[in-house]
Amino acid sequence: MSDDGLLTAGVDIGSTASKALLVRGAEVLGYHIGPSSVNPARTARTVFEAACGGSGVEPGTVARIAGTGYGRAKVSFADDNVSEISCHAVGAHFLVPGARTVIDIGGQDCKAMALEENGMLKNFAMNEKCAAGTGRFLEMMARVLEVGVEDLGNLDVGSETPVSISNVCSVFAESEVINLVNEGAETPDIVRGLHESLTNRIAVLVNRVGLTEPVVATGGVAKNAGVIRALENRLGVPITRLPYGADPQIIGALGAAVVAGRKLERDGG
Ligand code: ADP
C-alpha cells in the first residue's frame, strides 16, 4: 500500500471494551484494544495514543478521526461521530466486500444488520435491553464455571449431549448453571448449551432482518469459536471467516476509520 494514502483513525468506545485503529489508504497500520472505564473521554485518548504508539504514528499527523460506539459522544478529539451500526456494516463490507448479513456480538448488546450488495445498510435489529445474547451473558456463566471467557470457545468441543438452558433471563440462567454444575453435568455439555442459548437469541434478530449469505460475525464474542459453530448450526449457513486473520472486535473501529477517510476524500482531502 502506498505511503501517501490518507491517514485516518477510528475510535470505538464500547460498553465493555474500547478500540482504536489507524488506516492509511486501504492498509490497517495497527490498533489497540483496552477496557472501557467510567471515564470514556480518558479511555478514548488512552486507546488512541496506544494505537498511534504501536503503529509508529505521531497522533497529530492523523488527518481525520471518527468516534463510534456507545461512548462515541465522549471522543472529544474526533472530527466525526458515527453510529456503531454504520461502522460495523462499513468495516465488515471493507474486509468481506460481498457481505450481506453482519452479526455484531458485543459486551452488552447484539445487532443484526442486512446489507445491500453494495454495502449500504438496508435494515437492522438490536438487543440492548437484556444481557442474554451478549458477551455479558457468557462472562457471567464463565465466572460460575470458574473458567476464562476466552476459554469457553474450546470447552464445548466433544459435547454430544448439550444441556438445554431453559431460562432466557441471564440471572435465572446463572442459577440454572449453578444447579447443573452441582448435579454433575459435564462442562462441555453446559458450555455447548450456553452457546446454543446465546445463538438462539441472536437468531431471532437475524431472522428479523432476513438472512442472506455471505454472513460475517463481528464484535468480541465472535472470537469464541464455539459461538461461531453454534451460530452456523442454528442459522444453517457458514459464517465467512475474516481475511488476514483480522480480529472481529476491531471491525467497528475499522469502519469508523474508513468512514473518516471517505469524508476526507469527499471534502477534498
Ligand atoms: P463492546 O463494543 O460492546 O464493548 P466488544 O465487541 O468489544 O463489545 O466485545 C466485548 C465482549 O467480547 C466481552 O463480553 C468479552 O467477554 C468478549 N471477548 C473479548 N475477547 C474475547 C475472546 N478472546 N473470546 C471470547 N470472548 C471475548
Side-chain angles (χ1 to χ4, degrees), residues 14-17 19 106-108 135 139 149-150 219-221 223-224 249:
S15 58
T16 309
K19 290 77 66 176
Q108 289 186 34
E139 284 171 26
V149 76
E150 313 75 28
V221 180
K223 289 195 257 199
N224 178 327
Q249 198 171 6

Side-chain angles (χ1 to χ4, degrees), residues 137-183:
F137 172 80
L138 291 182
E139 284 171 26
M140 287 169 74
M141 304 310 160
R143 219 167 296 135
V144 173
L145 296 170
E146 297 179 338
V147 298
V149 76
E150 313 75 28
D151 301 324
L152 288 176
N154 292 322
L155 279 173
D156 66 356
V157 173
S159 161
E160 282 173 7
T161 49
V163 302
S164 167
I165 308 288
S166 55
N167 279 294
V168 170
C169 169
S170 313
V171 177
F172 294 126
E174 188 178 34
S175 311
E176 200 175 340
V177 170
I178 292 170
N179 287 339
L180 286 164
V181 171
N182 290 337
E183 285 162 9

Side-chain angles (χ1 to χ4, degrees), residues 186-201:
E186 299 287 344
T187 301
D189 290 336
I190 298 177
V191 175
R192 187 160 158 206
L194 290 168
H195 290 159
E196 288 179 354
S197 165
L198 180 99
T199 49
N200 285 342
R201 303 283 294 176

